[in-house]
Amino acid sequence: MSPLRRGRPGLLGMAARTAVVAGTATAVSGNVQRRQQGRAQDAQAQADADAQAQADAQAQAEYDAQQQQAAAPPASGDSALLDQLNQLSQLHNAGVLNDTEFTAAKAKLLA
């Protein structure tokens, strides 16, 4: 019959206890890390979905504005003339038309 040992555990007992504690800590930290990665992925997916929805809404708003502009009745003669003069002025300022071309186009519109 082997005598029962009382008191502090021996070297093997301490090594076994340390191994159990280390294994448990590793398992817990792995679970925590996986849970944090899952939450980060969910948050990123939600942010991507929100950004896509915002881009879709903006594109839809631009499309609607273009449709309304296309469906608007044509401008009266005076405002159409002013629009054409403004376009000529912008082309002249951008350097597309030189002074003589601008003057000739303006005279043609006003005639």
Side-chain angles (χ1 to χ4, degrees):
M1 204 170 172
S2 68
L4 294 176
R5 184 175 170 151
R6 296 184 187 230
R8 295 189 294 173
L11 183 60
L12 287 177
M14 288 295 286
R17 182 179 298 166
T18 302
V20 168
V21 170
T24 303
T26 301
V28 169
S29 69
N31 287 338
V32 169
Q33 184 178 14
R34 280 189 294 278
R35 189 177 316 124
Q36 288 174 344
Q37 286 177 347
R39 287 180 183 165
Q41 288 173 349
D42 291 344
Q44 183 63 38
Q46 183 64 35
D48 290 344
D50 290 345
Q52 183 63 37
Q54 186 178 13
D56 290 345
Q58 184 178 5
Q60 183 64 36
E62 289 175 6
Y63 176 76
D64 290 344
Q66 289 175 353
Q67 291 300 321
Q68 287 177 354
Q69 193 176 35
S76 65
D78 289 338
S79 68
L81 180 64
L82 287 176
D83 289 341
Q84 290 176 347
L85 286 172
N86 283 333
Q87 287 177 347
L88 280 176
S89 174
Q90 289 172 354
L91 291 173
H92 182 253
N93 291 338
V96 175
L97 298 175
N98 61 25
D99 292 335
T100 57
E101 292 171 335
F102 174 70
T103 306
K106 185 172 73 170
K108 183 178 176 183
L109 279 176
L110 294 175

